[in-house]
Amino acid sequence: MSHWIVDLLLNPDAFFRERAGQEAGLKFPLLFVLLAGLAAAPGAYTMVGIMGPLLPPEAQSFLWIGGVIAALFSLIGTIFIFILFVIVFHLLSAVLRGVGDIKKSFEAVGYGFLPMVLGYVLSSVAILYYAPSIVLPQVDPTTPAGAEAFGQAIASSPMTMMSAILGILFILWSANIWIFGMRHARSLTLRNAAITVGVPVGIYIIIQIWSLGVL
């Protein structure tokens, strides 16, 4: 018998089928969401630190405060994305004649955050590794031209590209879990579960790619 985490990651259909008739439990799903947010925090903190050389000397001593705020927003943002995905998946599945308690939707989506824990850990490691090698333009970031040049330097850096690629790969893994989670949570066909998850996740990925300036 395999461990339930292995089943969740590699055989989500069997994992959620076994839990379909059980009461929804949110302990582990919420833990995975929290861990994902915490895993993303170091990367957010480091990104703020990159701006240090461009700030006046008197402002650099407060840079750590900005890093802490960014890390907190990273955690809050992860929780917001979790709730947003639950609402969107639940409403879209209702359009596709899905039935079931929304608590089961929270459970299914929360379990799907487990791959994102690993993804955010790797992304934060990539940011920590590549951040010292970024060559920032010698511009005034408070001017429109300077802000644009600064933003382009960050967006085109290997750090940002690596972080974005990891984010897309691991959310696709999460989407695979969500499809089977929503299928059993809302009594959907596999086709309708794929539409329920695939459309919002596809839009999310397009937005992520667009933010890099690729599209």
Side-chain angles (χ1 to χ4, degrees), residues 85 88-89 92-93 96 171-172 174-180 182-183 188-206:
F85 273 137
V88 172
F89 290 169
L92 193 51
S93 67
L96 297 171
I171 199 171
L172 287 174
S174 292
N176 182 58
I177 294 174
W178 289 332
I179 288 172
F180 292 104
M182 292 305 295
R183 178 188 185 188
L188 295 166
T189 64
L190 182 58
R191 173 180 174 275
N192 285 347
I195 293 173
T196 295
V197 174
V199 171
V201 170
I203 293 172
Y204 178 83
I205 291 175
I206 290 173

Side-chain angles (χ1 to χ4, degrees), residues 48-111:
V48 173
I50 293 174
M51 295 187 295
L54 299 175
L55 297 177
E58 60 272 16
Q60 293 188 17
S61 59
F62 299 99
L63 195 61
W64 68 272
I65 298 178
V68 171
I69 293 174
L72 287 175
F73 269 97
S74 178
L75 174 60
I76 295 171
T78 302
I79 296 172
F80 173 78
I81 290 173
F82 164 61
I83 295 173
L84 180 64
F85 273 137
V86 171
I87 294 173
V88 172
F89 290 169
H90 194 81
L91 292 178
L92 193 51
S93 67
V95 174
L96 297 171
R97 300 181 179 180
V99 293
D101 196 315
I102 192 171
K103 193 175 179 181
K104 293 292 283 185
S105 296
F106 272 98
E107 179 188 49
V109 177
Y111 273 122

Side-chain angles (χ1 to χ4, degrees), residues 96-182:
L96 297 171
R97 300 181 179 180
V99 293
D101 196 315
I102 192 171
K103 193 175 179 181
K104 293 292 283 185
S105 296
F106 272 98
E107 179 188 49
V109 177
Y111 273 122
F113 268 70
L114 181 55
M116 295 173 70
V117 175
L118 180 58
Y120 281 136
V121 168
L122 294 177
S123 179
S124 288
V125 170
I127 292 173
L128 291 169
Y129 180 80
Y130 284 108
S133 64
I134 294 179
V135 179
L136 296 175
Q138 298 301 310
V139 296
D140 181 359
T142 61
T143 65
E148 182 179 357
F150 184 78
Q152 288 178 350
I154 296 293
S156 61
S157 68
M159 172 192 70
T160 304
M161 292 296 177
M162 181 65 71
S163 179
I165 291 171
L166 288 171
I168 291 172
L169 290 177
F170 280 91
I171 199 171
L172 287 174
W173 192 354
S174 292
N176 182 58
I177 294 174
W178 289 332
I179 288 172
F180 292 104
M182 292 305 295

